């Protein structure tokens, strides 16, 4: 597992980002897969970089914030049993851990994506709809 070296940190403190109690080393965001893919697209809007993650199983702490602290890169994970049972994480949520400097980059990218029509929630085309208008806008 990707973890921080033993002794690098002496304690852990957490707080909502909006409270601005301290400058965090890492930020945790929970969201649906649709929200996460748009967030990832926002991160990749400028300075595109392939992002890769792994899964070790029942240790999403290491999968997410442990890896993000160690690598200083965004890290996506599937929340584990304990996060769901004791932390209230819903069944349709994923966890993104990232250093705070990536937040503004992602928000800027999301704003640019929104100008191009990529927004959440992602509307689906049904069988009763003609997809040509949407395809023309995206691929015209």
């Amino acid at each position: 597992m990707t973890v921080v070296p033993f002794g690098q940190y002496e304690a852990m403190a957490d707080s909502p980002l909006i409270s601005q109690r301290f400058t965090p080393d890492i930020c945790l965001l929970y969201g649906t897969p649709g929200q996460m893919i748009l967030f990832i697209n926002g991160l990749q809007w400028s300075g595109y970089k392939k992002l890769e993650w792994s899964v070790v199983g029942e240790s999403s702490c290491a999968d997410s914030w442990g890896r993000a602290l160690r690598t200083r890169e965004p890290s996506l994970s599937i929340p584990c049993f304990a996060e769901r049972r004791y932390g209230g994480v819903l069944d349709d949520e994923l966890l993104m851990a990232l250093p705070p400097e990536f937040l503004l980059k992602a928000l800027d990218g999301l704003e640019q994506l929104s100008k191009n029509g990529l927004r959440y929630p992602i509307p689906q085309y049904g069988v009763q709809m003609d997809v040509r208008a949407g395809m023309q806008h995206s691929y015209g």
Side-chain angles (χ1 to χ4, degrees), residues 1-62:
M1 287 190 270
T2 306
V3 296
V4 296
F6 180 77
Q8 182 174 346
Y9 292 93
E10 294 181 24
M12 183 178 94
D14 63 0
S15 179
L17 291 172
I18 198 166
S19 71
Q20 300 181 6
R21 290 186 182 110
F22 55 86
T23 301
D25 291 321
I26 212 77
C27 302
L28 303 179
L29 306 172
Y30 289 87
T32 67
Q35 291 166 334
M36 286 299 173
I37 193 59
L38 286 177
F39 187 82
I40 291 165
N41 294 153
L43 283 170
Q44 295 174 318
W45 176 259
S46 66
Y48 177 87
K49 179 179 180 177
K50 181 179 179 181
L51 301 171
E52 296 186 70
W53 301 289
S54 62
V55 174
V56 297
E58 190 56 30
S59 295
S60 60
C61 307

Side-chain angles (χ1 to χ4, degrees), residues 29-140:
L29 306 172
Y30 289 87
T32 67
Q35 291 166 334
M36 286 299 173
I37 193 59
L38 286 177
F39 187 82
I40 291 165
N41 294 153
L43 283 170
Q44 295 174 318
W45 176 259
S46 66
Y48 177 87
K49 179 179 180 177
K50 181 179 179 181
L51 301 171
E52 296 186 70
W53 301 289
S54 62
V55 174
V56 297
E58 190 56 30
S59 295
S60 60
C61 307
D63 287 338
S64 58
W65 54 269
R67 186 181 318 111
L69 279 168
R70 177 76 178 250
T71 65
R72 305 304 301 162
E73 293 287 331
S75 184
L76 185 73
S77 74
I78 302 169
C80 64
F81 178 85
E83 282 186 284
R84 295 177 192 283
R85 178 140 190 183
Y86 305 111
V89 176
L90 299 177
D91 199 36
D92 65 344
E93 291 182 313
L94 297 172
L95 169 58
M96 172 69 76
L98 67 164
E101 57 268 21
F102 284 92
L103 289 175
L104 292 178
K105 178 182 181 187
L107 291 174
D108 181 55
L110 286 168
E111 186 176 333
Q112 298 304 316
L113 290 169
S114 179
K115 291 177 184 176
N116 288 341
L118 279 77
R119 298 179 195 92
Y120 187 86
I122 301 168
Q124 296 181 342
Y125 279 101
V127 295
Q128 294 85 10
M129 298 180 73
D130 185 348
V131 301
R132 289 180 286 184
M135 297 293 271
Q136 176 65 29
H137 180 74
S138 297
Y139 298 102

